[in-house]
Amino acid sequence: QVQLVESGGGLAQPGGSLRLSCAASGFTFGVFIMGWFRQAPGKERELVAAVTNRGYTNYGASVKGRFTIFRDNEKKTIDLQMNNLGPEDTARYYCTKSRFIGDKIYTDITAFDYWGQGTQVTVSS
């Protein structure tokens, strides 16, 4: 069965960095679009970043220029490098698999069909 396991969350200071990792199994990783979403308390789950199998990316407006998504099709992992973190980045971060393949990234949450359990990121001094 599909499994997505996140790691790397924790506490960071404002202006600091964290790197999240997601290990995937149970499906043909190399063809599907993969992504990261986040959800803060009282807010809707929102797209952070997504990447196609060929490396095309899409970022949420609030993280563009600060976060970078990486994909390793051999290791079946996706990473999220988060720089210049702010308190507004505090949320639970979820690794997710899209229903879709190809170069067009559908960003609506309904385009993603499997989710990890999430990893908490807290940005505070």
Side-chain angles (χ1 to χ4, degrees):
Q1 70 276 22
V2 174
Q3 285 195 314
L4 301 170
V5 181
E6 302 98 336
S7 60
L11 177 65
Q13 291 194 337
S17 299
L18 280 175
R19 189 175 180 106
L20 307 183
S21 186
C22 172
S25 61
F27 64 101
T28 308
F29 178 86
V31 299
F32 287 95
I33 294 165
M34 299 292 297
W36 288 94
F37 276 68
R38 68 184 182 186
Q39 188 166 21
K43 294 189 176 181
E44 293 187 353
R45 197 170 292 194
E46 64 173 357
L47 175 75
V48 176
V51 60
T52 72
N53 67 324
R54 297 207 292 171
Y56 295 111
T57 57
N58 188 308
Y59 292 93
S62 62
V63 307
K64 201 171 291 185
R66 300 188 297 124
F67 291 12
T68 306
I69 189 168
F70 297 93
R71 177 181 189 133
D72 189 323
N73 288 332
E74 289 192 8
K75 295 182 179 178
K76 299 182 181 180
T77 60
I78 59 167
D79 286 6
L80 185 69
Q81 177 65 41
M82 306 184 294
N83 296 330
N84 194 20
L85 287 162
E88 67 277 11
D89 297 313
T90 295
R92 192 162 187 86
Y93 285 70
Y94 296 89
C95 175
T96 182
K97 169 193 165 294
S98 175
R99 304 174 190 275
F100 300 100
I101 63 175
D103 293 337
K104 180 173 173 56
I105 296 176
Y106 297 93
T107 59
D108 188 83
I109 194 170
T110 59
F112 296 85
D113 55 0
Y114 287 93
W115 300 82
Q117 299 221 346
T119 185
Q120 180 67 32
V121 171
T122 302
V123 183
S124 175
S125 56

